[in-house]
Amino acid sequence: MHYFWVPFLPMFGIIVPLLANKLNRSACTLATALLPALALCLIFLDLPAVLAGESFSKSIEWIPQLGLSLSFRLDGLAALFSILILGIGLLVILYARYYLSEKDHIGRFYCYLIMFMTAMLGIVMSNNMLQLWFYWELTSISSFLLIGFWSHNSDARKGARMALTITGAGGLALLGGIILLGQVVGSYELDVVLNSGELVKQSPYYLAILSLFLIGAFTKSAQFPFHFWLPHAMAAPTPVSAYLHSATMVKAGIFLLARFYPVLAGTETWFVVVSLTGLFTMLLGAYTALFKHDLKGLLAYSTISHLGLIVLLLGLNTELAAIAAIFHIMNHAVFKASLFMAAGIIDHESGSRDMRKINGLWKYMPITATLAMVASASMAGVPLLNGFLSKEMFFTETLEQSILGSMSWLIPVLATIAAAFSVAYSLRFIHDVFFNGEPKGLTKTPHEPPRYMRVPVEILVAICLLVGIFPNYTIGPLLESASLAVFNHALPEYSLSIWHGFNFPLLMSGMATMGGVAIYLNRKHLFKFSGMFPDIDAKLVFEGCIQASVAWAQKITMKLENGSLQRYAFCLCFFALLLIAPPLFDLDTTRGSLPGTPINGAVLVAAILIIAGSLATIIWSHYRLIALLMLSLVGLVVSITFAYFSAPDLALTQLSVEIVTVILLLLALYFFPQQTPTSKSRPSHFVRDLTVASFIGCIIGSICFALMTHPLDSISAFFLANAKTGGGGTNVVNVILVDFRGFDTFGEITVLGIAALGIHKLIARMRLSVRTKDYAGRLWAKDKYPVLLSVVSQSLLPLFLLISAYIFMRGHNLPGGGFIAGLITSIALIQQYLAHGVDWMAKRVSVNYHYMIAIGLTIAGLTGLGSWIFDRPFLTSWFEYVSLPWIGKFELASALVFDIGVYFTVIGATLLILASLGKLTTTERLTVGER
Amino acid sequence: MELVYAVCVGFMSTCGIFLMLRGHTFTLVIGLTLLSYAVNLFLFASGGLTIGAPAVLSSSENYADPLPQALVLTAIVIGFAMTAFAVILAMRGRADLGSDHVDGIEPFDPLAEDKS
Amino acid sequence: MSLFDHLVIFPVLIPFFVAVALLFPGLSNSLSKQRVVSITANILMVVVAFSLLFKVEAQGIQVYALGDWSAPFGIVLVADLFSVLMVCLSAILGLAVTMYASAGEDKTGAFFHTLIMFQLMGINGAFLTGDAFNLFVFFEVLLIASYSLMIHGGGKQRTQANIHYVFLNLIGSSLFLFALGTLYGTLGTLNFADMADRIPLLSSNELLIAKSGALLLLAVFGLKAAMLPLHFWLPKAYSTTSTPVAALFAIMTKVGIYSIWRVHGVIFGDQAGELANIALPWLWPIALLTIAIGAIAVLASKSLRVLCSNLVIVSVGTLLVTISLNTVQATSAGIYYLLHSTIACAAMFLLAGLIQQQRGQAEDRFVAARAMPQAGVLGFIFALLAIALIGMPPLSGFVGKALILQSVTNASEAMWVFPIILVGGLIALIALSRAGTSLFWRTNGENTSALKGHPLQYLAIGLLVVILPLMVIFGGPVSDYTQLAAEQLKAGLSLQQLNEVAK
C-alpha cells in the first residue's frame, strides 16, 4: 500500500527546484531528482504483488456532489506506465542538467518538468475518471509551459499555443465523454466503470461517449487528423521532446484507449475507426519522416508513425493485439527517448540539427554514434533488439485480424510498407548523420558530450539490448500483468521469444528491411517526387485559421456592438415589448368588473392638456426651451390630477419636485445649444422608434385600464386600520412612508444623497464653455441680479421657512411631511441664489451641503437604530402623547425625528446639486464663446 | 374616466419612450421626465382611482388606497434624483466630448451623403 | 433581542453608517483615515457576512421584520443560504476592491470610499430584501452609486460609456416601476412570499396581466444581468471604468441573475400553478445565445479588460443555462459557478489594472511592448486566473463546469448545452492563451520607467486568487453549501412559513 503516496511525492517535488535554484546546478538537479526517485522505489516495493496479478485501489471522498474523489489504483498497466514515467523522467532530469545552457532558468524548467511528471502519474494511477481528467488537463498545461520555455522565440510561442489548443480541445471533449459515461454507469470510480462494459455498449450514448473519448485520445496521441501539433512541439528543449513528446505524454492518449479497452472496445465501430486511424497515421508518419531534414523533425514524424502503429494494434480485433500494443509502448518509449537524447547531444555539440549539414560525425563522436545507431536499429526493427520483437508480434496480429472482411489482407501489406519506410528513415538517420562525407558549414567542431550527458542514453540502449535478447526475463512479467489489467480477464496464450521459426511475420520483416534499403538507395527520386508537392507548414495554416476566425468574430462583434445608444435602447424597448405583449393577446377584455366612474369636464380638460402638452413636447423637442415649458405644463397637470384623485401628498410633492426640476433643467439648458441639430437619424429609425414606442404606450395604457377596472384585495386595509393605533398618525400615506415602509424611505433618501454626491463629482471636473449671447445673438442682460427680485425673494424667505415648518409638523397627520417641507425650504434658498448669486450666498450661508446630507442621513439612521435600545428591530417607531401647559396635548413620535433626517437630506441634496451647478455659471464665465 | 386616464398614461409613455429613443442627451432627459410622469400615474392608478377620499383618517368613510401613493412618493423622489444626475451627466458629456449627442459625435448625415 | 439578532441587517447598515461617517469633517478631508476606516469596515463586513452564514446554516432561514411590522405589511429582510452566500461574496469583493483602490486610485476623484460603501449597501440590500418594491429601492441605490463610481477618475471614454449605461438603466428603472405597478395591481401585495401565495388565487384575466408584469421584470433584470440582447452596454462600461470599480462591477451582473433566480425561478417557478416557469421558454434560447455571442466577442477582444468583460457575459449566459435547467442540482451547480466566476473575473480585472499600469503606452492591448518590470509574478497570476476562467484544473473553474454539465440529464438539453459550454471553454482557451503569450512573451526590451505594483494591490489580488484553489480543495463543503442553498431556494417560502420563522 505504498503506491498511494506515489502521485504526491512529485507533487511536493514541484516546488523543490524553485527552492533549490539558489544552489549550484548539480545540487539543484539532485534535489529535484530526489522525490521522483523515492516514488520509483515505492512503486518497486509494490511491484511484486502487482506482478503476482493483484491490483490495489484506494479512494478518499473529495467533492461528493461532483463524484470526484481522491482515488488511486495500482495495477499492471499503471505500474508499467509509472515506471516508464519515473524512470525516463529521472534520466531526463540528469540529461537536462547538461543540456540547458547557463542562461536558461533551470529551476523553472525542472519545476515545469516535475509538474508534468506529477500530472502524468496522476493520469496513469487515477481510479476516478474525473480525477483522471483533472491530471489530463494538467499535462496539457505543463506541456504548454515546457514547449514555450524559450518564450523569446516565436516558433516556441506558436508551437506551444497550437499544442495547448489541440490537446485542450481534446481534453474538453474527453470531459464531455467522461461525464456522459459517468451518467450511464452511475459512478466515476474506475473499479465500477471497468466492470460495466456491457451496460455501456448497450446504452444509446455509446457512440457519443466513444467518439468523445477517441477525440480526446487522438488529439493527445497525435493521430491523424490531429497529428500536426507534434512536429511543432519540437520547438521545445530536447529533453522535453524526449520526455513528453516521445516517451510519455503522447502515450497518454494510448493509455486512455488501453485503460478503457474493457469498457469501450469490442464493437465494430471501435475496430474500424481505431484501426484505420492508426493505420493511416502510421503510413503518413513513416512516409513524411523520410523527407525531414531536421533531425528532430524526422524523429517527431517517426513518433507519429509508431503511435499510429500502437493505435492500429489496439484497434485490431485479435486477442493478442492489445498485448503487442503494450509491448510496443514500452519499446518505443525506450528507443525513441534514447534517440531524442542522442539527437540533442548532436545538436548540442555540433550546433545544428540539419541533416544536410551534419554528416560524418562518426569520427567526432564515435560512442554517441554507436549508441544512436543501436537505438535506430531497434527503431527499424532489427533482430536482437526490442523493436524487433514487438514488430514481429505486430505483423502476426495484422495477419490474424479480419476487420475489413475480404479486404483484410490490405492491412498486413500496408503494415509492411510502413515498416519499410521506417527502415528507410532509420537508415537515413544513421547514414546521413554519422557517415556520408564531411560536415558542411557547422559553427563549431563536433565532439563527444560531457560524460554524464551520455549516461541516460547508454542506460536506455542497454535496456533495448537486454529486452531484445532476454525478453522473458526482463519484461515478460510486467507485460503480462499489464495486459491482464487491460483485458480485465484471463490472458490468451502468447510467447515472447526471438525465434518463432520461419513464418509469415519473419518474411514480412525481411521484405520490410529489403524494401527499406531499396527506398533509401533510391531516395534521390523520392525526394524529387515529394519535392513536387508544396510542403504545407501546419503552423501557418493553423495560425491562419485562428486569425481568420478572430477577424470574423471581430466583424460580427462590430456589427452587434456598433456603439449607438439608440440601437441599444431600441433593443431594450423592443425586447420588453416582445415580453409583455403576448399575454395580453390571450386576454379577451381588459375591462374588469368594477363600474367606471363617470367622466366630467374638468378631467376632460386635464386630459386634453396632458395629451396636447406631451404632443407639443415631442413636436418642439428641437426647440429645447419650448419643449421644457410644455413639459412643465404636463407636470403641473399631473400634480393637479393627483390632487383630484385624493392624493394631496403626491400633489404637493409632485409640484415642489416639478419646480426644482424645471429650475435645474433651465440652468442646464444655459450650457446646451438652444436647439437640437435637426435630426440626422434616418427616417426609417424615426418610424421604427415611433412604432415601438406607441405599441408600448398602447400596452401600458390597456394594462393601466385593466388594473383600474379590476377589483383588488390588497394589503392596504391593514394600513388604514393600524395607521393611528400602530403608527400614531392619521395621514396614512405619511405613516406608511415613515413607519410601515420606512425602510423604503431610508433607501430613497440614501439615493438622493448619493445622487447629490455623484453630481458634485461630475461637476468637480467639468470644464464648460459658457455662452455670452443667447440663441438670438443678444448679449445677456447687464444687471445680473434684478433688484426687485432680490428684495421680494429676501422678504419672502421667512414666510417660506414658516410654511415649510408648518408643512413639516402637520405631516404625520395631514398632507405634508419632511420631504415636501425640505423641498419648500430648498426652493426658498434657491430663490436667494437666483436673486443674489452664488457669491452673495456663499458669504452668508456657510454650510457645507455634504455635511448637511450626512447629518440628515445620520439622523434618519440613528432614529432607526434607536429602536434597538427598546429591543425592537431597526426603524421600529415609538410615539407618545404628552401635554404641556399652555401648548396643550401634542404628540411626540420617533417617526418625526426620522422625518427631520429626511428634511435635512432633501435640503442638503437639492442645494448641493443646484448650488454647485450655479457655481459653474459664475466661476466659469472666463471661458468665452460657443464651442 | 378610467378610460381617459388610461389613454393619457399610454400616450405620455409613448411620447416619453419615443423621446428616450432620440439621439441627444437633453432630449433624452426631457423624455425621461415625461416617462416618469407616466410611470407615476400608472403606479398611482394600480390601486384604483378614488375621488374626494384622501387617505387621511376620519375625513371620510372610504379611503383611497394609500400604498400606491406611498410608492409613487418614493418613485417621485428617486426619479428626481435620477433626472438630476442624468442632466448633469449630459452636461458633463457635452463638456468632455464637445457634443451633446449620446454617442459623443454627431452621426454622419445620410441625406447629405445622398446630395454629394 | 440581542445584538446578534440584528445580524441580518448589518450588511446593509454597516456600509451605510460608514459611508455617512466618511462624509463628516473628521474623515472627509483625510484620505489616509478614510482608507483605514473603510478597509476596517470591509473586514468587519466579511466577519459579519460569514457569521451570518454560519448562523443561517445552524438555525435555518433568518427573517428580520423592519419596523417590527410583520410581512406582508412591513418590509422584511430574508436571509437564506443563497442570499447570505451572495452577501459573503460581495463582502470579499468589497474588501479586495477597497484594498486595491487604497493604493492610490481613490485619489483620482471625490467620495470614492463613500460611494463604494453605498454601492455595497445597495448590493447587500438587493440580496437580502424580501419585498418587491424594496428591491427596486435597493436597485436604485446600487445603480446611482455605480453611475457615480463609473466616472471616477474622469476621462472622455468613461463619460461616454457612462452616458450609455445611465440612460439604458433609466429606461430599465421605469420599466421596473411599470412591472411593479402591474404586479401590485393584480396581486395586491409586494412581499415576495405573499406574492407567491396569491398567484394561484388569481382569476384567469388577472393571471394574464400578472404574467406580462412578471415577464417585464425579466427584461429589467436581464438588463442588469447583461443577457442577450441587453448586454451591449457592458463591454464598454466595464473596460473603460477604473480598475477597482470594474472589479466590483463583476458582481453587479450577478445581482440581476440573482433576482431572475428569485423571481422567475421561484415566485413564478414550479409552484406558481398557471404561471409556473413562464420565463423558461425565453431564458433557454437567450442563455445559449448569450454564451455564443459572448464567446465570439471574447475571441474578438483586442485588450485584456475587454476580453474580461466579455468573459463576464459568457458567465452570465452559463448561469442563465443553470437557471433554465430548473432543477435543484443545476441550481446548486449554478451557485457554485456564480461564486467562482465572480471572484475570478474580479481578480482578472484587478490584474488587468496592474498590467496596464506597467505596460505604459501599450496599456493592456494585445500588442508587442516592452517587458513589464514585474512580469514574473504578474504572469504567474495571469496563468492561474486564465486556467480558472477557462475552466481547467486545478482551479475552481473546472468544478463549476463539470457540475453544470453533470446537472444536464436529459438528452435533448445535453445536445445543446454540452457543445456550447465545451466550445465556449475552448474559445476562452484560445483567446486567453493568445492574450497571455502576447502580453508576457512578445516583448522587446525592459520597461524600467513603469511604476511597480503597490503591495496592497498584490494583497488584494492575492486575496481573491487564493479563494479559487480553496474552492477546489474544500470543494466538498462548498458544494454542500450550494446544494443546501439550492434546496432552500427551490423549496420556496410561503408567507406562513416566513412569519413562523420571524417569530
Side-chain angles (χ1 to χ4, degrees), chain A residues 610-885:
Chain A
I610 285 188
I611 291 182
S614 326
L615 203 56
T617 318
I618 284 198
I619 293 168
W620 284 313
S621 60
H622 293 318
Y623 308 100
R624 294 175 165 173
L625 190 58
I626 303 175
L628 196 50
L629 294 177
M630 289 303 146
L631 182 70
S632 48
L633 168 71
V634 178
L636 202 61
V637 182
V638 168
S639 41
I640 294 168
T641 321
F642 283 139
Y644 182 79
F645 291 111
S646 49
D649 289 276
L650 286 189
L652 280 172
T653 318
Q654 176 68 49
L655 197 60
S656 37
V657 166
E658 182 63 26
I659 296 168
V660 179
T661 315
V662 169
I663 295 175
L664 185 65
L665 289 182
L666 279 172
L667 270 174
L669 191 51
Y670 173 74
F671 297 94
F672 279 99
Q674 301 303 295
Q675 299 185 13
T676 311
T678 45
S679 171
K680 291 207 178 71
S681 57
R682 297 194 193 71
S684 56
H685 285 192
F686 189 85
V687 177
R688 177 191 79 177
D689 298 346
L690 198 55
T691 327
V692 71
S694 26
F695 266 113
I696 294 180
C698 299
I699 286 175
I700 288 185
S702 16
I703 293 183
C704 182
F705 182 70
L707 294 184
M708 284 185 288
T709 49
H710 278 85
L712 170 68
D713 72 324
S714 82
I715 53 179
S716 311
F718 176 89
F719 299 124
L720 292 165
N722 294 290
K724 187 97 181 82
T725 53
T730 53
N731 178 2
V732 185
V733 177
N734 183 279
V735 174
I736 292 179
L737 280 175
V738 297
D739 195 343
F740 293 109
R741 297 186 66 88
F743 201 50
D744 278 345
T745 316
F746 180 66
E748 153 202 328
I749 55 175
T750 315
V751 171
L752 201 56
I754 302 172
L757 298 181
I759 287 170
H760 186 269
K761 215 171 156 60
L762 276 170
I763 293 178
R765 292 162 163 263
M766 183 139 57
R767 289 283 164 271
L768 267 172
S769 62
V770 175
R771 297 184 293 67
T772 50
K773 301 183 171 66
D774 70 355
Y775 61 94
R778 288 168 299 225
L779 287 172
W780 298 113
K782 289 279 167 295
D783 52 344
K784 277 194 202 161
Y785 306 115
V787 182
L788 185 61
L789 176 59
S790 50
V791 172
V792 172
S793 56
Q794 217 169 335
S795 50
L796 277 178
L797 181 60
L799 179 61
F800 266 109
L801 295 180
L802 204 64
I803 294 172
S804 59
Y806 171 68
I807 292 274
F808 176 85
M809 289 313 291
R810 57 177 257 165
H812 212 41
N813 295 314
L814 291 164
F819 186 78
I820 303 167
L823 277 177
I824 294 177
T825 317
S826 18
I827 292 170
L829 290 171
I830 293 162
Q831 202 177 29
Q832 307 308 312
Y833 273 101
L834 293 177
H836 302 94
V838 177
D839 314 334
W840 188 87
M841 283 294 281
K843 286 195 207 70
R844 286 155 185 75
V845 188
S846 61
V847 270
N848 176 335
Y849 295 118
H850 324 143
Y851 299 162
M852 197 174 232
I853 296 173
I855 291 165
L857 290 174
T858 321
I859 294 175
L862 289 179
T863 324
L865 279 188
S867 45
W868 286 6
I869 303 164
F870 306 96
D871 261 357
R872 289 266 177 278
F874 189 69
L875 275 176
T876 310
S877 72
W878 161 92
F879 63 94
E880 194 53 71
Y881 296 92
V882 290
S883 54
L884 289 176

Side-chain angles (χ1 to χ4, degrees), chain B residues 47-70:
Chain B
L49 294 180
T50 336
I51 300 175
V56 177
L57 298 177
S58 77
S59 66
S60 79
E61 286 322 299
N62 70 321
Y63 298 107
D65 186 342
L67 188 54
Q69 296 193 18

Side-chain angles (χ1 to χ4, degrees), chain A residues 376 380 421-433 513 516-518 520-521:
Chain A
S376 42
F421 269 99
S422 70
V423 172
Y425 63 67
S426 312
L427 265 176
R428 182 175 179 215
F429 182 85
I430 298 173
H431 180 252
D432 266 12
V433 176
T513 321
V517 175
Y520 184 66
L521 292 178

Side-chain angles (χ1 to χ4, degrees), chain A residues 246-261:
Chain A
S246 70
T248 53
M249 185 177 98
V250 288
K251 299 284 191 348
I254 289 163
F255 169 83
L256 193 73
L257 296 181
R259 177 52 92 198
F260 288 87
Y261 198 79

